[in-house]
Amino acid sequence: MRILIAAALLLLSNPLQAFSKTGHQLICDMAYQLVSDTTRLQIDSLIAASPYQQFSQSCSWADEMRADPAFDYASALHFVNFSRDKKQVSAADCPAHGCILSAITDMQRRLKQNRNDWQALLFLAHFTGDLHQPLHVSFADDLGGNRTAVYFYGLPNNLHGVWDFALLKQLGYETDANKAAALFNRISAKQRSAWRQGNALSWANESAALTLGIYQGYTPGMLIDDSYVLQYQAIVEQRLQQAGVRLALLFDQSLDATVN
Ligand code: ADE
Ligand code: ZN
Ligand code: ZN
């Protein structure tokens, strides 16, 4: 019984905090291909100083080290919440202890200041991915959907988990590497240059707009199946592509002096 209670507490106290490993890997793979050669060399040397062999494998580090109390400060940096009566998120929604918006700025600054700061690289990679998962820009009352129950193909799940993991798995990205390559190859030059506009706040507001729609379509205990997956497939895929393009931009800004 005690073990059961401990397990339940662990589950409750540890809401899912990120796009799945698959999602982060996909985004980092795309960014790695899009950065300048100078930036890619810098990334390689930062990764050589990290516990990882390959950059794309490292983009869930920010989740994996959450058990380490030394990184407690970072647990609020995976998301930003805004009021349910508002249509937009603003910089003022970022609390004093920080949020995903301040974290992205901070990690860029850390990388510029110290070219050996591999932790800043991995945080920046991870948070830029999270920023594009709509429910990482969401509402505090249900922990960004972690406490909002749904059924996914008949099994109990929560809205946040559907957007972190279940949709990507259902769309085949967990098992089919060709799908990831095809997604990357579908990014046009026009999209790439359009998506490089803006900043973390405007990208957060794209997530906020999607979140408002996701909650408009939510009914308690709702059943999520093929029609929902079909409704959101293009959006999920575009968020992954945008995250890849924008992560490459943020890396170039931080690691390649010729970009600025
Ligand atoms: N905890 C509280 N709000 C959250 C959010 N929007 N995303 C992930 N975890 C959260
Ligand atoms: Zn995260
Ligand atoms: Zn998440």
Side-chain angles (χ1 to χ4, degrees):
M1 188 62 179
R2 202 178 282 162
I3 290 173
L4 275 180
I5 291 171
L9 282 176
L10 195 70
L11 278 175
L12 280 175
S13 66
N14 195 17
L16 305 175
Q17 288 275 349
F19 254 148
S20 63
K21 182 144 180 133
T22 307
H24 282 291
Q25 187 172 329
L26 236 146
I27 291 163
C28 282
D29 258 333
M30 292 196 272
Y32 190 78
Q33 295 175 73
L34 291 171
V35 289
S36 74
D37 292 343
T38 307
T39 300
R40 198 174 305 108
L41 285 172
Q42 294 279 348
I43 293 173
D44 289 343
S45 83
L46 282 150
I47 290 302
S50 83
Y52 293 91
Q53 313 292 325
Q54 249 196 330
F55 170 60
S56 70
Q57 297 297 317
S58 72
C59 293
S60 298
W61 169 80
D63 281 332
E64 283 150 17
M65 55 57 167
R66 288 184 65 234
D68 181 344
F71 289 102
D72 276 355
Y73 75 91
S75 69
L77 305 181
H78 296 250
F79 59 87
V80 62
N81 288 317
F82 66 109
S83 162
R84 281 200 193 254
D85 341 310
K86 295 260 169 64
K87 292 270 167 284
Q88 289 204 312
V89 62
S90 77
D93 292 310
C94 200
H97 59 261
C99 72
I100 194 164
L101 300 170
S102 60
I104 287 175
T105 309
D106 262 12
M107 297 308 159
Q108 273 204 290
R109 184 187 41 75
R110 271 173 58 172
L111 261 186
K112 279 185 196 161
Q113 276 172 1
N114 178 358
R115 290 290 161 85
N116 299 313
D117 192 348
W118 60 268
Q119 296 190 349
L121 181 93
L122 303 197
F123 273 134
L124 182 58
H126 182 91
F127 295 149
T128 304
D130 279 353
L131 187 70
H132 286 77
Q133 202 280 53
L135 296 178
H136 279 244
V137 183
S138 186
F139 311 121
D141 53 15
D142 69 345
L143 301 182
N146 276 296
R147 294 204 176 141
T148 291
V150 297
Y151 287 92
F152 192 80
Y153 290 89
L155 296 175
N157 208 319
N158 67 75
L159 206 52
H160 194 99
V162 164
W163 279 85
D164 264 358
F165 297 93
L167 286 171
L168 289 181
K169 187 163 182 212
Q170 189 64 30
L171 291 169
Y173 285 99
E174 210 138 280
T175 44
D176 188 350
N178 292 328
K179 288 213 78 163
L183 187 66
F184 178 73
N185 290 326
R186 284 205 301 276
I187 303 175
S188 70
K190 198 173 151 199
Q191 286 173 321
R192 198 178 152 203
S193 75
W195 293 341
R196 288 164 66 93
Q197 306 304 311
N199 53 42
L201 181 60
S202 63
W203 307 335
N205 267 307
E206 297 168 352
S207 279
L210 291 169
T211 289
L212 289 167
I214 290 167
Y215 277 92
Q216 263 163 24
Y218 171 78
T219 48
M222 81 188 276
L223 311 176
I224 293 181
D225 55 21
D226 283 344
S227 75
Y228 192 94
V229 175
L230 211 60
Q231 179 188 353
Y232 281 115
Q233 172 167 8
I235 288 172
V236 170
E237 294 182 336
Q238 188 177 83
R239 289 315 269 162
L240 294 168
Q241 291 172 319
Q242 289 173 322
V245 165
R246 290 160 175 175
L247 179 57
L249 172 72
L250 297 179
F251 278 159
D252 280 340
Q253 287 173 349
S254 313
L255 296 170
D256 183 348
T258 66
V259 165
N260 296 292

